[in-house]
Amino acid sequence: SHILAEAARLAMERCPMYFYDAPMAGTGKSTLQEMAARIVHGTEPALRPWVSDEDELRKSLYACLMAGDRSIWFDNVPDGHKVRSSVLEAFLTSAVWKDRKLGESVTSAIPNKTVLVASGNNLTPVSALARRSIVIRLDANTEHLRERVFRIANPRRYVMERRAQMLVDA
């Protein structure tokens, strides 16, 4: 779903937010969520630190839209956080995002054609955000995460080498 949302976002008026969640750090949330943007855009998503302050979040989202970011990733949402944000709720339902340019008294509107992603451990979107989100829960079923062996040793390189075919397949 996340890959398809990244691919079809320009044609979609609205798009859910994706939460990559796991019971513990090191499960692979960051790597997995990054692959959707790499497959579709050929780059990693715009990385932003998680901010709980609604005003700072609003400014961050507006700055990302002004920069033309197609995929925004909020990393390291605090462990066990119940994610509640009227700014995110409004952003997810807005086809056009309006805000004031920093340092100016000018409000401008920018089409909202970005996909929002957040990652962290034991996350729970609540309130209206829960209805506007898809949670991807990863559980490695082991406490020895560093001992796991994967068929694909370098997923970033693997995806970039096969990106065209993966995008066509999506």
Side-chain angles (χ1 to χ4, degrees):
S1 171
H2 182 189
I3 294 168
L4 295 175
E6 294 280 358
R9 184 62 179 107
L10 291 176
M12 297 165 46
E13 202 166 289
R14 288 169 187 79
C15 179
M17 182 169 183
Y18 292 87
F19 284 91
Y20 283 77
D21 173 52
M24 62 193 331
T27 306
K29 302 175 299 294
S30 297
T31 301
L32 183 61
Q33 72 78 28
E34 181 185 320
M35 294 308 109
R38 283 193 179 273
I39 289 167
V40 176
H41 310 297
T43 63
E44 62 186 34
L47 179 61
R48 295 286 188 255
W50 178 254
V51 291
S52 294
D53 179 87
E54 292 280 279
D55 198 41
E56 288 302 315
L57 180 59
R58 180 185 53 77
K59 291 175 191 174
S60 181
L61 290 170
Y62 187 69
C64 287
L65 288 178
M66 286 182 60
D69 295 332
R70 298 275 315 279
S71 186
I72 304 169
W73 169 28
F74 293 104
D75 191 23
N76 293 324
V77 178
D79 193 352
H81 191 64
K82 300 217 181 305
V83 184
R84 167 182 290 113
S85 170
S86 59
V87 170
L88 288 176
E89 291 167 5
F91 189 84
L92 292 169
T93 56
S94 297
V96 175
W97 189 250
K98 295 180 183 178
D99 206 344
R100 183 177 59 85
K101 286 186 181 179
L102 199 58
E104 297 181 23
S105 295
V106 176
T107 299
S108 61
I110 302 173
N112 180 4
K113 294 298 182 183
T114 192
V115 176
L116 295 182
V117 179
S119 61
N121 299 314
N122 305 301
L123 303 178
T124 307
V126 295
S127 190
L129 191 56
R131 293 190 316 272
R132 297 174 178 142
S133 303
I134 295 175
V135 177
I136 296 98
R137 175 110 171 134
L138 304 177
D139 192 339
N141 293 318
T142 181
E143 292 184 19
H144 308 285
L145 295 173
R146 296 201 182 272
E147 296 173 11
R148 295 178 297 167
V149 177
F150 296 95
R151 244 181 352 130
I152 299 170
N154 186 335
R156 287 175 184 90
R157 185 175 68 223
Y158 181 90
V159 165
M160 294 310 289
E161 289 171 354
R162 294 160 179 81
R163 180 175 168 254
Q165 187 59 52
M166 290 177 157
L167 186 54
V168 167
D169 291 345

